[in-house]
PDB file of all heavy atoms in Angstrom:
ATOM      1  N   PHE A   1       3.156 -15.162 -10.923  1.00 79.00           N
ATOM      2  CA  PHE A   1       3.859 -14.335 -10.020  1.00 79.00           C
ATOM      3  C   PHE A   1       3.504 -12.857 -10.189  1.00 79.00           C
ATOM      4  O   PHE A   1       3.318 -12.088  -9.441  1.00 79.00           O
ATOM      5  CB  PHE A   1       5.445 -14.523 -10.034  1.00 79.00           C
ATOM      6  CG  PHE A   1       5.813 -15.847  -9.397  1.00 79.00           C
ATOM      7  CD1 PHE A   1       4.819 -16.636  -8.937  1.00 79.00           C
ATOM      8  CD2 PHE A   1       7.172 -16.187  -9.398  1.00 79.00           C
ATOM      9  CE1 PHE A   1       5.285 -17.857  -8.217  1.00 79.00           C
ATOM     10  CE2 PHE A   1       7.522 -17.408  -8.703  1.00 79.00           C
ATOM     11  CZ  PHE A   1       6.713 -18.144  -8.204  1.00 79.00           C
ATOM     12  N   ALA A   2       3.754 -12.370 -11.535  1.00 83.00           N
ATOM     13  CA  ALA A   2       3.567 -10.947 -11.860  1.00 83.00           C
ATOM     14  C   ALA A   2       2.297 -10.237 -11.458  1.00 83.00           C
ATOM     15  O   ALA A   2       2.285  -9.254 -10.683  1.00 83.00           O
ATOM     16  CB  ALA A   2       3.877 -10.692 -13.284  1.00 83.00           C
ATOM     17  N   PRO A   3       1.081 -10.927 -11.745  1.00 89.00           N
ATOM     18  CA  PRO A   3      -0.158 -10.386 -11.292  1.00 89.00           C
ATOM     19  C   PRO A   3      -0.386 -10.343  -9.865  1.00 89.00           C
ATOM     20  O   PRO A   3      -0.780  -9.340  -9.186  1.00 89.00           O
ATOM     21  CB  PRO A   3      -1.251 -11.292 -11.924  1.00 89.00           C
ATOM     22  CG  PRO A   3      -0.664 -11.933 -13.112  1.00 89.00           C
ATOM     23  CD  PRO A   3       0.813 -12.086 -12.685  1.00 89.00           C
ATOM     24  N   ILE A   4       0.243 -11.355  -9.124  1.00 90.00           N
ATOM     25  CA  ILE A   4      -0.025 -11.367  -7.676  1.00 90.00           C
ATOM     26  C   ILE A   4       0.887 -10.397  -7.024  1.00 90.00           C
ATOM     27  O   ILE A   4       0.339  -9.502  -6.040  1.00 90.00           O
ATOM     28  CB  ILE A   4       0.326 -12.773  -7.052  1.00 90.00           C
ATOM     29  CG1 ILE A   4      -0.625 -13.862  -7.686  1.00 90.00           C
ATOM     30  CG2 ILE A   4       0.485 -12.789  -5.582  1.00 90.00           C
ATOM     31  CD1 ILE A   4      -0.231 -15.306  -7.283  1.00 90.00           C
ATOM     32  N   MET A   5       2.096 -10.215  -7.469  1.00 90.00           N
ATOM     33  CA  MET A   5       3.078  -9.242  -6.943  1.00 90.00           C
ATOM     34  C   MET A   5       2.589  -7.750  -7.343  1.00 90.00           C
ATOM     35  O   MET A   5       2.837  -6.839  -6.463  1.00 90.00           O
ATOM     36  CB  MET A   5       4.503  -9.529  -7.363  1.00 90.00           C
ATOM     37  CG  MET A   5       5.098 -10.784  -6.748  1.00 90.00           C
ATOM     38  SD  MET A   5       5.021 -10.879  -4.983  1.00 90.00           S
ATOM     39  CE  MET A   5       6.073  -9.584  -4.386  1.00 90.00           C
ATOM     40  N   CYS A   6       2.050  -7.615  -8.363  1.00 91.00           N
ATOM     41  CA  CYS A   6       1.685  -6.221  -8.761  1.00 91.00           C
ATOM     42  C   CYS A   6       0.434  -5.861  -7.796  1.00 91.00           C
ATOM     43  O   CYS A   6       0.422  -4.766  -7.316  1.00 91.00           O
ATOM     44  CB  CYS A   6       1.042  -6.271 -10.177  1.00 91.00           C
ATOM     45  SG  CYS A   6       2.368  -6.139 -11.498  1.00 91.00           S
ATOM     46  N   PHE A   7      -0.452  -6.882  -7.526  1.00 93.00           N
ATOM     47  CA  PHE A   7      -1.558  -6.637  -6.734  1.00 93.00           C
ATOM     48  C   PHE A   7      -1.083  -6.325  -5.247  1.00 93.00           C
ATOM     49  O   PHE A   7      -1.491  -5.465  -4.489  1.00 93.00           O
ATOM     50  CB  PHE A   7      -2.539  -7.756  -6.597  1.00 93.00           C
ATOM     51  CG  PHE A   7      -3.749  -7.455  -5.858  1.00 93.00           C
ATOM     52  CD1 PHE A   7      -4.700  -6.575  -6.197  1.00 93.00           C
ATOM     53  CD2 PHE A   7      -4.018  -8.304  -4.620  1.00 93.00           C
ATOM     54  CE1 PHE A   7      -5.783  -6.367  -5.410  1.00 93.00           C
ATOM     55  CE2 PHE A   7      -5.142  -8.034  -3.818  1.00 93.00           C
ATOM     56  CZ  PHE A   7      -6.084  -7.217  -4.349  1.00 93.00           C
ATOM     57  N   TRP A   8       0.088  -7.085  -4.894  1.00 94.00           N
ATOM     58  CA  TRP A   8       0.712  -6.963  -3.538  1.00 94.00           C
ATOM     59  C   TRP A   8       1.255  -5.526  -3.376  1.00 94.00           C
ATOM     60  O   TRP A   8       0.976  -4.810  -2.438  1.00 94.00           O
ATOM     61  CB  TRP A   8       1.799  -7.955  -3.383  1.00 94.00           C
ATOM     62  CG  TRP A   8       2.782  -7.673  -2.320  1.00 94.00           C
ATOM     63  CD1 TRP A   8       4.040  -7.294  -2.341  1.00 94.00           C
ATOM     64  CD2 TRP A   8       2.559  -7.950  -0.801  1.00 94.00           C
ATOM     65  NE1 TRP A   8       4.565  -7.201  -0.987  1.00 94.00           N
ATOM     66  CE2 TRP A   8       3.691  -7.598  -0.190  1.00 94.00           C
ATOM     67  CE3 TRP A   8       1.333  -8.449  -0.203  1.00 94.00           C
ATOM     68  CZ2 TRP A   8       3.687  -7.764   1.211  1.00 94.00           C
ATOM     69  CZ3 TRP A   8       1.498  -8.480   1.247  1.00 94.00           C
ATOM     70  CH2 TRP A   8       2.696  -8.115   1.968  1.00 94.00           C
ATOM     71  N   PHE A   9       2.098  -5.051  -4.432  1.00 94.00           N
ATOM     72  CA  PHE A   9       2.617  -3.697  -4.216  1.00 94.00           C
ATOM     73  C   PHE A   9       1.594  -2.519  -4.347  1.00 94.00           C
ATOM     74  O   PHE A   9       1.660  -1.554  -3.637  1.00 94.00           O
ATOM     75  CB  PHE A   9       3.699  -3.497  -5.337  1.00 94.00           C
ATOM     76  CG  PHE A   9       4.910  -4.152  -5.106  1.00 94.00           C
ATOM     77  CD1 PHE A   9       5.370  -5.224  -5.855  1.00 94.00           C
ATOM     78  CD2 PHE A   9       5.867  -3.833  -3.989  1.00 94.00           C
ATOM     79  CE1 PHE A   9       6.538  -5.899  -5.600  1.00 94.00           C
ATOM     80  CE2 PHE A   9       6.966  -4.451  -3.759  1.00 94.00           C
ATOM     81  CZ  PHE A   9       7.413  -5.425  -4.437  1.00 94.00           C
ATOM     82  N   ALA A  10       0.478  -2.876  -5.143  1.00 95.00           N
ATOM     83  CA  ALA A  10      -0.546  -1.858  -5.155  1.00 95.00           C
ATOM     84  C   ALA A  10      -1.232  -1.809  -3.764  1.00 95.00           C
ATOM     85  O   ALA A  10      -1.585  -0.695  -3.319  1.00 95.00           O
ATOM     86  CB  ALA A  10      -1.609  -2.231  -6.254  1.00 95.00           C
ATOM     87  N   THR A  11      -1.521  -2.910  -3.076  1.00 95.00           N
ATOM     88  CA  THR A  11      -2.047  -3.028  -1.818  1.00 95.00           C
ATOM     89  C   THR A  11      -1.096  -2.258  -0.779  1.00 95.00           C
ATOM     90  O   THR A  11      -1.615  -1.511   0.089  1.00 95.00           O
ATOM     91  CB  THR A  11      -2.204  -4.505  -1.381  1.00 95.00           C
ATOM     92  OG1 THR A  11      -3.082  -5.095  -2.444  1.00 95.00           O
ATOM     93  CG2 THR A  11      -3.060  -4.545  -0.050  1.00 95.00           C
ATOM     94  N   LEU A  12       0.168  -2.618  -0.881  1.00 95.00           N
ATOM     95  CA  LEU A  12       1.090  -1.935   0.037  1.00 95.00           C
ATOM     96  C   LEU A  12       0.921  -0.330  -0.128  1.00 95.00           C
ATOM     97  O   LEU A  12       0.766   0.400   0.897  1.00 95.00           O
ATOM     98  CB  LEU A  12       2.476  -2.166  -0.328  1.00 95.00           C
ATOM     99  CG  LEU A  12       3.042  -3.652  -0.022  1.00 95.00           C
ATOM    100  CD1 LEU A  12       4.441  -3.710  -0.370  1.00 95.00           C
ATOM    101  CD2 LEU A  12       2.730  -4.040   1.484  1.00 95.00           C
ATOM    102  N   GLY A  13       0.860   0.175  -1.380  1.00 95.00           N
ATOM    103  CA  GLY A  13       0.759   1.614  -1.632  1.00 95.00           C
ATOM    104  C   GLY A  13      -0.546   2.152  -1.075  1.00 95.00           C
ATOM    105  O   GLY A  13      -0.602   3.180  -0.472  1.00 95.00           O
ATOM    106  N   VAL A  14      -1.660   1.429  -1.385  1.00 95.00           N
ATOM    107  CA  VAL A  14      -2.983   2.020  -0.913  1.00 95.00           C
ATOM    108  C   VAL A  14      -3.117   2.033   0.528  1.00 95.00           C
ATOM    109  O   VAL A  14      -3.543   3.002   1.101  1.00 95.00           O
ATOM    110  CB  VAL A  14      -4.184   1.003  -1.599  1.00 95.00           C
ATOM    111  CG1 VAL A  14      -5.444   1.359  -0.946  1.00 95.00           C
ATOM    112  CG2 VAL A  14      -4.209   1.231  -3.114  1.00 95.00           C
ATOM    113  N   LEU A  15      -2.782   0.896   1.216  1.00 94.00           N
ATOM    114  CA  LEU A  15      -2.794   0.905   2.689  1.00 94.00           C
ATOM    115  C   LEU A  15      -1.992   2.054   3.319  1.00 94.00           C
ATOM    116  O   LEU A  15      -2.409   2.690   4.214  1.00 94.00           O
ATOM    117  CB  LEU A  15      -2.257  -0.389   3.253  1.00 94.00           C
ATOM    118  CG  LEU A  15      -3.164  -1.765   3.104  1.00 94.00           C
ATOM    119  CD1 LEU A  15      -2.564  -3.022   3.531  1.00 94.00           C
ATOM    120  CD2 LEU A  15      -4.521  -1.469   3.807  1.00 94.00           C
ATOM    121  N   GLY A  16      -0.695   2.186   2.650  1.00 94.00           N
ATOM    122  CA  GLY A  16       0.080   3.279   3.054  1.00 94.00           C
ATOM    123  C   GLY A  16      -0.467   4.653   3.024  1.00 94.00           C
ATOM    124  O   GLY A  16      -0.523   5.463   3.918  1.00 94.00           O
ATOM    125  N   ALA A  17      -1.058   4.927   1.802  1.00 95.00           N
ATOM    126  CA  ALA A  17      -1.606   6.140   1.546  1.00 95.00           C
ATOM    127  C   ALA A  17      -2.824   6.464   2.421  1.00 95.00           C
ATOM    128  O   ALA A  17      -3.013   7.694   2.797  1.00 95.00           O
ATOM    129  CB  ALA A  17      -2.027   6.240   0.104  1.00 95.00           C
ATOM    130  N   VAL A  18      -3.757   5.498   2.672  1.00 94.00           N
ATOM    131  CA  VAL A  18      -4.852   5.720   3.534  1.00 94.00           C
ATOM    132  C   VAL A  18      -4.432   6.144   4.917  1.00 94.00           C
ATOM    133  O   VAL A  18      -5.073   7.134   5.473  1.00 94.00           O
ATOM    134  CB  VAL A  18      -5.718   4.497   3.640  1.00 94.00           C
ATOM    135  CG1 VAL A  18      -6.698   4.549   4.670  1.00 94.00           C
ATOM    136  CG2 VAL A  18      -6.432   4.195   2.212  1.00 94.00           C
ATOM    137  N   ASN A  19      -3.335   5.617   5.401  1.00 94.00           N
ATOM    138  CA  ASN A  19      -2.946   6.009   6.741  1.00 94.00           C
ATOM    139  C   ASN A  19      -2.133   7.346   6.797  1.00 94.00           C
ATOM    140  O   ASN A  19      -2.189   8.144   7.720  1.00 94.00           O
ATOM    141  CB  ASN A  19      -2.018   4.831   7.270  1.00 94.00           C
ATOM    142  CG  ASN A  19      -2.784   3.743   7.866  1.00 94.00           C
ATOM    143  OD1 ASN A  19      -3.212   3.655   8.989  1.00 94.00           O
ATOM    144  ND2 ASN A  19      -3.185   2.731   6.935  1.00 94.00           N
ATOM    145  N   ILE A  20      -1.286   7.564   5.650  1.00 94.00           N
ATOM    146  CA  ILE A  20      -0.706   8.854   5.586  1.00 94.00           C
ATOM    147  C   ILE A  20      -1.634  10.054   5.535  1.00 94.00           C
ATOM    148  O   ILE A  20      -1.405  11.079   6.119  1.00 94.00           O
ATOM    149  CB  ILE A  20       0.253   8.843   4.328  1.00 94.00           C
ATOM    150  CG1 ILE A  20       1.422   7.962   4.399  1.00 94.00           C
ATOM    151  CG2 ILE A  20       0.803  10.312   3.975  1.00 94.00           C
ATOM    152  CD1 ILE A  20       2.232   7.665   3.091  1.00 94.00           C
ATOM    153  N   VAL A  21      -2.827   9.873   4.860  1.00 94.00           N
ATOM    154  CA  VAL A  21      -3.822  10.960   4.871  1.00 94.00           C
ATOM    155  C   VAL A  21      -4.205  11.462   6.228  1.00 94.00           C
ATOM    156  O   VAL A  21      -4.557  12.591   6.568  1.00 94.00           O
ATOM    157  CB  VAL A  21      -5.080  10.501   3.996  1.00 94.00           C
ATOM    158  CG1 VAL A  21      -6.138  11.334   4.236  1.00 94.00           C
ATOM    159  CG2 VAL A  21      -4.626  10.368   2.489  1.00 94.00           C
ATOM    160  N   GLN A  22      -4.268  10.472   7.146  1.00 92.00           N
ATOM    161  CA  GLN A  22      -4.644  10.761   8.564  1.00 92.00           C
ATOM    162  C   GLN A  22      -3.550  11.500   9.298  1.00 92.00           C
ATOM    163  O   GLN A  22      -3.883  12.244  10.331  1.00 92.00           O
ATOM    164  CB  GLN A  22      -5.015   9.472   9.190  1.00 92.00           C
ATOM    165  CG  GLN A  22      -6.286   8.819   8.600  1.00 92.00           C
ATOM    166  CD  GLN A  22      -6.533   7.319   9.255  1.00 92.00           C
ATOM    167  OE1 GLN A  22      -6.121   7.090  10.377  1.00 92.00           O
ATOM    168  NE2 GLN A  22      -7.071   6.498   8.509  1.00 92.00           N
ATOM    169  N   HIS A  23      -2.289  11.211   9.026  1.00 91.00           N
ATOM    170  CA  HIS A  23      -1.187  11.993   9.700  1.00 91.00           C
ATOM    171  C   HIS A  23      -0.135  12.326   8.597  1.00 91.00           C
ATOM    172  O   HIS A  23       0.911  11.898   8.504  1.00 91.00           O
ATOM    173  CB  HIS A  23      -0.543  11.063  10.650  1.00 91.00           C
ATOM    174  CG  HIS A  23      -1.462  10.852  11.740  1.00 91.00           C
ATOM    175  ND1 HIS A  23      -1.545  11.684  12.845  1.00 91.00           N
ATOM    176  CD2 HIS A  23      -2.251   9.788  12.137  1.00 91.00           C
ATOM    177  CE1 HIS A  23      -2.276  11.196  13.794  1.00 91.00           C
ATOM    178  NE2 HIS A  23      -2.781   9.942  13.379  1.00 91.00           N
ATOM    179  N   PRO A  24      -0.533  13.367   7.707  1.00 92.00           N
ATOM    180  CA  PRO A  24       0.342  13.755   6.631  1.00 92.00           C
ATOM    181  C   PRO A  24       1.737  14.315   7.002  1.00 92.00           C
ATOM    182  O   PRO A  24       2.686  14.362   6.288  1.00 92.00           O
ATOM    183  CB  PRO A  24      -0.416  14.750   5.889  1.00 92.00           C
ATOM    184  CG  PRO A  24      -1.387  15.285   6.767  1.00 92.00           C
ATOM    185  CD  PRO A  24      -1.768  14.180   7.664  1.00 92.00           C
ATOM    186  N   ASP A  25       1.911  14.728   8.312  1.00 92.00           N
ATOM    187  CA  ASP A  25       3.120  15.247   8.851  1.00 92.00           C
ATOM    188  C   ASP A  25       4.199  14.212   8.825  1.00 92.00           C
ATOM    189  O   ASP A  25       5.352  14.467   8.963  1.00 92.00           O
ATOM    190  CB  ASP A  25       2.946  15.800  10.250  1.00 92.00           C
ATOM    191  CG  ASP A  25       2.272  14.861  11.187  1.00 92.00           C
ATOM    192  OD1 ASP A  25       1.325  14.161  10.851  1.00 92.00           O
ATOM    193  OD2 ASP A  25       2.635  14.716  12.388  1.00 92.00           O
ATOM    194  N   VAL A  26       3.820  12.792   8.621  1.00 92.00           N
ATOM    195  CA  VAL A  26       4.824  11.807   8.669  1.00 92.00           C
ATOM    196  C   VAL A  26       5.813  11.953   7.511  1.00 92.00           C
ATOM    197  O   VAL A  26       6.946  11.419   7.499  1.00 92.00           O
ATOM    198  CB  VAL A  26       4.172  10.502   8.693  1.00 92.00           C
ATOM    199  CG1 VAL A  26       3.634  10.083   7.280  1.00 92.00           C
ATOM    200  CG2 VAL A  26       4.933   9.397   9.102  1.00 92.00           C
TER     201      VAL A  26
END
């Protein structure tokens, strides 16, 4: 569970950051 969920949260953060860069005013 731990490696999968760590990868899951890392993926959540990376996907979010990539989109935030395009509209930082959010």
Side-chain angles (χ1 to χ4, degrees):
F1 287 0
I4 293 171
M5 290 308 290
C6 283
F7 187 64
W8 167 255
F9 283 113
T11 303
L12 291 185
V14 169
L15 286 176
V18 167
N19 284 270
I20 290 170
V21 168
Q22 297 173 25
H23 291 278
D25 51 320
V26 78

